[in-house]
Amino acid sequence: MNPPILYSYWRSSCSWRVRIAMNLKEIPYDIKPISLIKSGGEQHCNEYREVNPMEQVPALQIDGHTLIESVAIMHYLEETRPQRPLLPQDVHKRAKVREIIEIICSGIQPLQNLIVLIHVGEEKKKEWAQHWITRGFRAVEKALSTSAGKYCVGDEISMADCCLVPQVFNARRFHVDLRPYPIILRIDRELESNPAFRAAHPSNQPDCPPELPNK
């Protein structure tokens, strides 16, 4: 059977979440890079629109299906490959994982996504991104104050951690002051050396520009 194909962009936080989840579950996969900037964005071409009508990444071809939307993909992986789980058994902890996911994936990331920043314009995009990331991180930090152990929820890595790390990267990219969020920073430091997270990092992707300092 051919390995799954992940349509991904090296710096896309949504693609990054799925890469982490697949690495944690030790699912072999091939990456098909989709440049969000080359030629106006390869995600807008007719061929890729057939894969993902939203013209975004990621998309995952797996088990004879094509799936889109990173959180839906992670839940599919969890339900079809429950070994190395990314959701706790405890129902309250599971709800806390989903709560953190929702804050990041609905309340932060879409508001500083490429398509939104293009609409906002070059002059205002940094201020815009900083505003929404700061607003969202206040909520994440508050949630973590009652849920975190070693990781976002307790002492086991979950889907919440898969979503948090890419968003911290985005925050640094837009020069957000992260000092008010010590729990977020502690968890990010804890995970940066984890092999599954390290392999999923943008600098380790096949389409990462070779001229980047940390490539």
Side-chain angles (χ1 to χ4, degrees):
M1 185 179 293
N2 292 329
I5 297 174
L6 178 63
Y7 294 81
S8 172
Y9 179 61
W10 66 282
R11 201 169 61 186
S12 157
S13 57
C14 298
S15 301
W16 189 350
R17 297 167 194 157
V18 175
R19 296 195 301 258
I20 295 170
M22 295 186 79
N23 292 347
L24 287 167
K25 286 182 171 289
E26 299 183 5
I27 303 169
Y29 61 97
D30 292 334
I31 284 183
K32 184 173 178 59
I34 299 294
S35 174
L36 302 187
I37 56 175
K38 186 167 68 178
S39 304
E42 293 176 343
Q43 73 274 26
H44 302 306
C45 73
N46 291 334
E47 180 183 356
Y48 186 69
R49 194 179 297 117
E50 291 298 313
V51 176
N52 187 342
M54 279 296 287
E55 302 174 31
Q56 296 173 337
V57 290
L60 180 66
Q61 292 181 338
I62 188 170
D63 300 338
H65 308 292
T66 299
L67 305 173
I68 65 173
E69 299 297 334
S70 61
V71 176
I73 291 170
M74 288 193 294
H75 279 290
Y76 178 85
L77 297 176
E78 184 73 359
E79 290 165 5
T80 59
R81 291 152 176 86
Q83 59 276 24
R84 303 179 184 86
L86 295 177
L87 286 173
Q89 289 299 309
D90 179 85
V91 292
H92 178 256
K93 288 183 177 179
R94 189 173 285 226
K96 294 302 290 185
V97 168
R98 291 179 172 136
E99 176 183 301
I100 294 164
I101 290 171
E102 198 68 26
I103 294 171
I104 294 170
C105 300
S106 297
I108 306 176
Q109 190 276 331
L111 294 163
Q112 46 96 106
N113 202 7
L114 177 63
I115 193 169
V116 174
L117 295 180
I118 290 173
H119 184 75
V120 169
E122 189 68 29
E123 190 175 306
K124 295 183 178 179
K125 72 177 187 180
K126 181 179 176 182
E127 178 186 357
W128 174 275
Q130 287 177 339
H131 171 79
W132 293 109
I133 294 171
T134 298
R135 181 178 183 273
F137 267 14
R138 283 199 300 267
V140 172
E141 186 76 8
K142 179 68 174 175
L144 293 175
S145 70
T146 60
S147 71
K150 189 176 182 181
Y151 304 113
C152 283
V153 179
D155 296 326
E156 301 296 329
I157 294 174
S158 70
M159 288 185 200
D161 301 288
C162 297
C163 296
L164 180 68
V165 168
Q167 191 56 56
V168 174
F169 179 92
N170 282 345
R172 291 192 173 109
R173 180 182 164 211
F174 290 110
H175 306 289
V176 172
D177 180 6
L178 294 175
R179 289 174 295 180
Y181 316 113
I183 307 174
I184 290 174
L185 287 175
R186 177 183 61 75
I187 294 169
D188 183 66
R189 283 193 301 269
E190 187 70 41
L191 290 166
E192 66 183 2
S193 60
N194 181 290
F197 283 77
R198 194 166 59 242
H201 193 277
S203 64
N204 292 320
Q205 301 316 301
D207 53 333
C208 177
E211 66 273 11
L212 289 191
N214 59 345
K215 174 62 174 169

